[in-house]
Amino acid sequence: MDEGTVALIAAGCGLLGSILGAAFTAWATKAGADKSADAVRGQAYDQAANEHAHWLRQQRLSACEGFLDAWDECTRRRKELARPEDGQHKPHRAELRQAATRMLERARRISILGPDEVAQSAQSISDATMENIEKEDRFGRYIVAAVARLREQESHVRELSPDLKFEQLKQVLTHAGDLEKLQELYSIEELERIVENADRSMAEGEEWLRRMTIFGELGGEINNEGARFVEDFRHNIQVTEENRAVFVLTVRNSIANPPMRNP
């Protein structure tokens, strides 16, 4: 191999080394830049995630506070309606229903923000509260109609007042085995009149008894409906109390434990 060839090979190796060195330097620089960019992006993502978690906690807290405010208002309205007349302003039933409607609206907001456990408790509480209000309204309308029927039936019973004429019939029956005595005491016309009066009294008595039976059945119906209403009402109150404890606990957990960043 002559000196020219050796020089050419040496020059080629030097050039190749320079190229490789430059490539390695560029790769190292790019890798470092990518790593720095990843770190910056990670920091930005973490910061955004933390800010979003903080925002979400605040939104959840606000929604839950709004729901509890509406619930407290609903409870206050019901107590005011149950208060005896004392000259103070008493809310209308419509105001109670409006408060319950606000509960439902704020429960829907919680269902958007989550978490699911809080949303489910809020919905159960709202549904039970609204159901109680509807039951109260239905029972109130039923009582008004039932009492009107009861008074009407009582009026029928009072106005009938059967004239029970059985004394003469009893006297006749004591001589039923002695026709001569009957003929001596009563004429045929008198006997017919006594029997007619007894029949009329019997019919009036039966009608009076029928109306009294209806009167009693109406009273029994009202008592049964009242018992069912109270049982359902108490059940829904129990549901709301049980869900209130769940609601408060799940709210605390959701605020204390914000959503974690997805890997």
Side-chain angles (χ1 to χ4, degrees), residues 6-66:
V6 172
L8 181 62
I9 292 173
C13 289
L15 179 61
L16 179 61
S18 298
I19 293 173
L20 290 176
F24 179 79
T25 301
W27 176 84
T29 302
K30 183 178 184 301
D34 289 344
K35 187 174 182 180
S36 298
D38 286 342
V40 171
R41 282 195 295 270
Q43 291 175 353
Y45 186 94
D46 288 342
Q47 182 178 356
N50 289 333
E51 290 177 354
H52 178 266
H54 176 72
W55 174 85
L56 184 57
R57 286 198 301 274
Q58 291 300 113
Q59 292 297 313
R60 284 177 172 176
L61 179 60
S62 175
C64 292
E65 287 177 340

Side-chain angles (χ1 to χ4, degrees), residues 93-111:
R93 294 286 304 175
E95 296 178 40
L96 175 60
R97 183 174 286 274
Q98 289 168 0
T101 300
R102 281 191 287 274
M103 282 182 63
L104 287 169
E105 292 172 349
R106 293 173 185 183
R108 283 194 289 271
R109 184 165 186 258
I110 294 175
S111 70

Side-chain angles (χ1 to χ4, degrees), residues 36-250:
S36 298
D38 286 342
V40 171
R41 282 195 295 270
Q43 291 175 353
Y45 186 94
D46 288 342
Q47 182 178 356
N50 289 333
E51 290 177 354
H52 178 266
H54 176 72
W55 174 85
L56 184 57
R57 286 198 301 274
Q58 291 300 113
Q59 292 297 313
R60 284 177 172 176
L61 179 60
S62 175
C64 292
E65 287 177 340
F67 176 78
L68 289 175
D69 287 343
W71 190 2
D72 290 341
E73 180 188 1
C74 194
T75 302
R76 185 176 67 255
R77 296 289 187 189
R78 174 173 278 116
K79 289 181 179 178
E80 290 173 350
L81 282 168
R83 185 181 63 212
E85 294 289 348
D86 55 5
Q88 300 182 25
H89 167 71
K90 291 186 68 171
H92 298 293
R93 294 286 304 175
E95 296 178 40
L96 175 60
R97 183 174 286 274
Q98 289 168 0
T101 300
R102 281 191 287 274
M103 282 182 63
L104 287 169
E105 292 172 349
R106 293 173 185 183
R108 283 194 289 271
R109 184 165 186 258
I110 294 175
S111 70
I112 296 173
L113 294 170
D116 290 341
E117 295 86 351
V118 179
Q120 290 169 3
S121 296
Q123 191 64 47
S124 296
I125 292 167
S126 301
D127 290 343
T129 301
M130 183 61 80
E131 184 178 350
N132 260 0
I133 292 174
E134 292 174 351
K135 285 181 180 294
E136 288 173 338
D137 290 343
R138 286 197 300 270
F139 185 68
R141 292 192 294 270
Y142 165 78
I143 283 295
V144 170
V147 169
R149 289 161 55 203
L150 198 64
R151 287 176 176 170
E152 180 182 6
Q153 192 62 35
E154 181 185 17
S155 176
H156 290 331
V157 170
R158 290 181 180 278
E159 72 184 11
L160 181 58
S161 300
D163 185 12
L164 304 180
K165 297 180 179 180
F166 295 119
E167 289 301 322
Q168 287 184 311
L169 181 61
K170 290 178 181 179
Q171 294 175 6
V172 170
L173 293 177
T174 58
H175 303 290
D178 189 349
L179 294 178
E180 293 183 357
K181 186 65 176 178
L182 281 176
Q183 291 175 353
E184 179 183 340
L185 293 174
Y186 306 102
S187 66
I188 296 298
E189 290 78 8
E190 288 175 328
L191 289 174
E192 288 177 347
R193 185 173 64 254
I194 291 171
V195 171
E196 288 176 358
N197 288 338
D199 288 342
R200 188 180 304 110
S201 295
M202 183 66 72
E204 290 178 356
E206 290 176 351
E207 177 62 16
W208 181 84
L209 182 61
R210 186 185 70 82
R211 293 183 180 184
M212 280 298 296
T213 300
I214 295 174
F215 183 79
E217 289 174 348
L218 282 173
E221 177 189 310
I222 292 174
N223 287 335
N224 291 336
E225 289 295 326
R228 279 194 290 269
F229 166 74
V230 170
E231 182 179 357
D232 291 344
F233 190 88
R234 286 177 175 171
H235 171 73
N236 283 338
I237 291 295
Q238 183 179 357
V239 168
T240 58
E241 290 303 319
E242 291 174 352
N243 278 282
R244 186 181 185 104
V246 174
F247 179 82
V248 172
L249 179 61
T250 50

